[in-house]
Amino acid sequence: PFSSPPLYSSSASVLYKTAAPTSTTAAPTTTLPIPEVDSAEETQVLRAVIDQEEVDVGGMGVGFRITYESESILGEPIEVTGLIVAPDLSPTEPRPVLSVAHGTVGLADQCAPSKRQFPTPDLALIEPFINAGWVVVASDYEGLGSPGLHRYIVGESEARGVFDIVRAARSISGLGATGPLVVWGHSQGGRTAMRAGQRWTELAPELALVGVAA
């Protein structure tokens, strides 16, 4: 469903042009399918966690502020920061993952969402997902909270951020962040989410992306 549809933009809106559905499907359920991985796609791309600090998420579960490996818009290795929240560190099965693409917060490093004092009121927005057994990850994006320039509204850079923090979460023992993936974003993050949907098969084909909300 995300095979690079045409993108139309103006000062007022950014919209997908989509084809009319060819058949009627049943209403979605709250249980996401876990696609089977073909043997040819079993090689996983992992992003190492360089630094990890536990943060208080108000009793919602466990939270970590992390610095992880990624790749810049120029193809160079970089460090990116972000936040991970999970119900606990004892999963019984693969957990679905919500990768949050944040809206405009500013360009200085201190504006990075993961640098806020926790717990924050914003955590209430993801609490239903944590209660349902999801892992929630949120990248600060390239250059925001880490060395280098923040590539503001550069969709390719920001899409790599939302995918690579999922890869980083997979490398943390006890999270179980290997289930299906949904990308959600608003404002700046809405553009990021749409770009992630367009570029998924090229940037992160091994991740089981099942939906994008922008």
Side-chain angles (χ1 to χ4, degrees), residues 5-130:
L7 187 64
Y8 294 85
S9 65
S10 69
S11 60
S13 62
V14 181
L15 300 173
Y16 278 126
K17 178 182 178 183
T18 58
T22 57
S23 62
T24 301
T25 58
T29 65
T30 55
T31 302
L32 295 176
I34 300 177
E36 292 187 12
V37 178
D38 183 81
S39 59
E41 299 177 349
E42 287 181 352
T43 301
Q44 302 292 307
V45 177
L46 294 180
R47 295 298 189 186
V49 175
I50 300 168
D51 187 55
Q52 178 178 322
E53 173 192 359
E54 190 167 352
V55 295
D56 177 14
V57 290
M60 187 186 305
V62 294
F64 301 97
R65 183 185 287 114
I66 68 167
T67 302
Y68 62 96
E69 291 179 341
S70 188
E71 184 177 307
S72 76
I73 190 64
L74 302 177
E76 301 168 341
I78 57 172
E79 297 179 5
V80 179
T81 55
L83 182 71
I84 296 175
V85 183
D88 52 49
L89 295 178
S90 54
T92 58
E93 59 185 1
R95 287 169 165 162
V97 181
L98 177 69
S99 190
V100 176
H102 69 76
T104 300
V105 293
L107 300 178
D109 284 344
Q110 64 264 30
C111 299
S114 73
K115 290 187 177 294
R116 296 174 186 168
Q117 188 68 37
F118 289 93
T120 70
D122 294 343
L123 289 176
L125 297 173
I126 66 170
E127 187 169 9
F129 293 91
I130 301 302

Side-chain angles (χ1 to χ4, degrees), residues 127-198:
E127 187 169 9
F129 293 91
I130 301 302
N131 291 342
W134 291 50
V135 175
V136 179
V137 301
S139 174
D140 289 331
Y141 306 145
E142 177 181 350
L144 189 59
S146 54
L149 295 175
H150 173 41
R151 308 292 181 172
Y152 182 66
I153 309 291
V154 179
E156 188 80 358
S157 168
E158 294 162 352
R160 293 183 188 192
V162 301
F163 287 136
D164 280 350
I165 195 169
V166 178
R167 290 164 164 158
R170 287 183 165 204
S171 71
I172 298 177
S173 177
L175 283 183
T178 56
L181 169 65
V182 173
V183 176
W184 175 88
H186 75 283
S187 187
Q188 176 187 0
R191 295 173 62 96
T192 300
M194 289 192 291
R195 186 63 172 177
Q198 289 180 312

